[in-house]
Amino acid sequence: MLRRFLRRRGALAGLLVVLLLFVLAFAGPHVTHWSYTDIDYTALRAKPSGEHWFGTNRIGQDVFAQTVRGLQKSLLVGLLVGVVATALASVVGACAGYFGGWTDRALMFLVDLLLVFPGFLIIAIVAPRLKAAGWLAFVGLLALFAWMVTSRVVRAMTLSLREREFVRAARYTGVGPLRIIWRHILPNVASFLVIDATIAVGGAVMSETALSYFGFGIQSPDVSLGTLIADYTGSAVTYPWMFFFPAGLLVVFVLAVNLIGDGLRDAFDPTSSRHGAARRARDARPRGRRRPLTRKARSTAHDA
């Protein structure tokens, strides 16, 4: 799987971009003497320069310092939401599929109930009231409405895995159900969970950006890519450096995560790769030139 992943240049490029963005987010505040809250009253709406690498905004705050702070916050939110939502989906789906009966019915009723609720609207109403709890409460709200579809897929995979011979053997030898889920069920759905977690990180960053854009996400004085894009949308034409730096980093990150997800999908499941399909079609072709049949061979084939 590692060799298949390393052969995908797009996936490697996406992985490199994501690593560079993490380095920029967490090392960027230490390479500039400006904080994201500092104000330079001598440089209002200043263009990018040696003093302010990304320029300044309307009140003199350094755009580079604000951008790396917003990138850091968005990456943390996306990573935590992806991990928490995938872990919750794996536990609920595996338990529902393995135990069956009333456990399955109760858990799937909870999943259906959460799917009916308008998650975006609920988060928009509840998030401002949790301002005192900090951004971790916002992460919990996003994760709460991001795991239901994945849990249904894990449940369906568990229903087929629990009838396999190695699961039956473990059950007949007295291994407990939770140990079977941990050692036999979840490792066999790990490929799907890794891919889903990777894509969920990008989706969480987009959700955080959308909610912060409308004022329901990260609250002031802290910043994220969503709050920066919302604040500087009106200056996109007149002062483009305020808008395009945070918006560009958001686009680059989401594209890089999607490339990694495609690479992981092809690494775990080579039958989904376009190159694998082309290779199988090429191998199925007859090798060498076909010699014409002799008159005696044609006559024998005709009689047969």
Side-chain angles (χ1 to χ4, degrees):
M1 289 186 291
L2 180 60
R3 287 195 299 268
R4 285 195 294 267
F5 181 80
L6 294 177
R7 284 198 295 265
R8 296 300 302 271
R9 295 181 180 179
L12 290 178
L15 180 61
L16 178 61
V17 169
V18 169
L19 291 177
L20 291 177
L21 288 177
F22 269 95
V23 172
L24 175 64
F26 291 95
H30 301 288
V31 299
T32 178
H33 61 277
W34 295 103
S35 172
Y36 71 97
T37 57
D38 292 342
I39 298 176
D40 185 2
Y41 293 102
T42 63
L44 304 180
R45 299 188 180 94
K47 295 182 179 180
S49 62
E51 181 67 18
H52 299 283
W53 299 339
F54 287 2
T56 61
N57 61 10
R58 63 179 68 91
I59 62 173
Q61 291 176 317
D62 188 76
V63 175
F64 174 81
Q66 287 205 318
T67 300
V68 294
R69 173 67 178 183
L71 178 64
Q72 181 183 124
K73 191 64 66 176
S74 294
L75 291 180
L76 285 175
V77 170
L79 184 63
L80 289 176
V81 170
V83 172
V84 172
T86 303
L88 186 60
S90 63
V91 171
V92 173
C95 290
Y98 183 81
F99 291 108
W102 66 268
T103 303
D104 184 18
R105 291 192 293 271
L107 292 177
M108 288 301 101
F109 175 77
L110 175 63
V111 170
D112 294 337
L113 189 63
L114 290 176
L115 284 173
V116 170
F117 287 157
F120 190 93
L121 180 60
I122 294 176
I123 295 174
I125 295 174
V126 176
R129 291 170 172 78
L130 298 178
K131 182 178 180 180
W135 63 275
L136 288 177
F138 180 62
V139 169
L141 282 175
L142 285 177
L144 182 63
F145 293 95
W147 59 273
M148 291 82 72
V149 176
T150 303
S151 68
R152 281 191 165 277
V153 179
V154 174
R155 172 183 175 271
M157 299 174 70
T158 305
L159 287 174
S160 62
L161 285 171
R162 72 177 184 179
E163 303 301 329
R164 299 286 293 274
E165 290 79 4
F166 59 91
V167 176
R168 288 185 175 185
R171 187 164 58 244
Y172 293 155
T173 54
V175 181
L178 296 180
R179 192 172 180 84
I180 291 176
I181 292 174
W182 178 255
R183 295 189 60 183
H184 300 289
I185 300 297
L186 291 181
N188 282 278
V189 298
S191 59
F192 167 75
L193 292 177
V194 169
I195 299 170
D196 182 79
T198 304
I199 299 175
V201 170
V205 171
M206 292 299 296
S207 298
E208 180 274 327
T209 302
L211 287 165
S212 297
Y213 182 88
F214 292 107
F216 303 120
I218 302 298
Q219 301 296 318
S220 179
D222 209 347
V223 295
S224 70
L225 293 181
T227 60
L228 294 177
I229 293 172
D231 291 340
Y232 302 146
T233 299
S235 305
V237 177
T238 54
Y239 305 101
W241 59 86
M242 299 182 190
F243 174 80
F244 285 105
F245 282 119
L249 288 179
L250 174 65
V251 172
V252 168
F253 175 74
V254 174
L255 289 177
V257 168
N258 287 335
L259 289 175
I260 295 175
D262 290 340
L264 288 174
R265 180 198 62 199
D266 295 338
F268 283 110
D269 184 12
T271 59
S272 66
S273 174
R274 295 189 299 270
H275 301 290
R279 189 181 304 111
R280 289 191 301 273
R282 184 174 63 252
D283 293 340
R285 296 172 185 170
R287 302 296 180 88
R289 295 184 59 186
R290 180 178 296 177
R291 296 181 178 179
L293 296 175
T294 63
R295 179 178 298 177
K296 183 177 180 179
R298 288 198 299 269
S299 177
T300 302
H302 182 267
D303 293 340

